[in-house]
Amino acid sequence: MQLIKSHNAYIFAKKSLSATFWNQRLDKIESIHTLDTIEEVILLLTSQYHLNSEQTDNIRTVYKEESIAFYRLFGNTHDNFKIEKIYLNLENTKGQLIYWKDWDFIFQKVKDTYLLWVYIGGHADLQREIKLSTFDIAEFKRIGETHIDYLVDTLKTTKSSSVYEQAKKDNRVLR
């Protein structure tokens, strides 16, 4: 089991993978803790978040859930501590994940290219993947995830056809 701290949250992995693997898959890793038992995980998280017994019981429950291999744990204190299932298979991603929300979008870096995949939905299960322009990369580096949220929202709205057409014209649309 591992707890990987990245972007002010922990990724709880039920199986241990190498530090090289995590550095290739996740952006801005702060620490990696490899632990042998769920009780060690709970002890580390309790010292970090000052968890109560209900929250530690919840961690034990999610550990027993066999269908999910990864969880995101975040919050500043036990009052706002949250556990989210990660449905994205972190072992099979093609690049380094920077920012994502399951069933919504994935922002990642593949080699020297920044890609944003957005699930649009609808009857046809629409999705879009664009390569970020030099301007969008600069904006992301300047203001962070807020710019990615803006791009996701823009691509999801009906007004996004102009953004999509511009991205297509700039040869940035991949799918």
Side-chain angles (χ1 to χ4, degrees), residues 7 36 44 118 143:
H7 288 276
D36 294 323
L44 185 103
V118 179
I143 62 175

Side-chain angles (χ1 to χ4, degrees), residues 8-10 49 72-77 80-84:
N8 298 318
Y10 280 105
Y49 295 105
R72 189 182 326 222
L73 314 170
F74 57 95
N76 295 328
T77 65
N80 59 7
F81 178 78
K82 294 183 180 164
I83 300 173
E84 285 181 354

Side-chain angles (χ1 to χ4, degrees), residues 22-108:
W22 288 117
N23 282 309
Q24 290 171 347
R25 290 297 190 277
L26 298 175
D27 183 53
K28 296 185 180 177
I29 291 180
E30 296 171 36
S31 64
I32 300 171
H33 299 279
T34 301
L35 305 150
D36 294 323
T37 67
I38 191 63
E39 296 308 316
E40 289 178 30
V41 170
I42 289 169
L43 187 63
L44 185 103
L45 291 172
T46 300
S47 68
Q48 176 78 27
Y49 295 105
H50 309 289
L51 302 178
N52 61 36
S53 62
E54 182 180 331
Q55 291 164 321
T56 58
D57 289 344
N58 192 17
I59 293 168
R60 287 183 188 92
T61 301
V62 299
Y63 175 71
K64 292 175 185 173
E65 191 171 339
E66 293 179 19
S67 63
I68 305 294
F70 304 101
Y71 293 87
R72 189 182 326 222
L73 314 170
F74 57 95
N76 295 328
T77 65
H78 76 279
D79 292 334
N80 59 7
F81 178 78
K82 294 183 180 164
I83 300 173
E84 285 181 354
K85 295 176 183 178
I86 297 176
Y87 294 97
L88 179 64
N89 187 339
L90 298 179
E91 291 184 78
N92 292 329
T93 59
K94 62 182 175 181
Q96 187 179 43
L97 294 167
I98 298 170
Y99 180 44
W100 80 94
K101 290 183 183 170
D102 277 328
W103 309 108
D104 195 14
F105 69 88
I106 299 170
F107 176 53
Q108 63 185 338

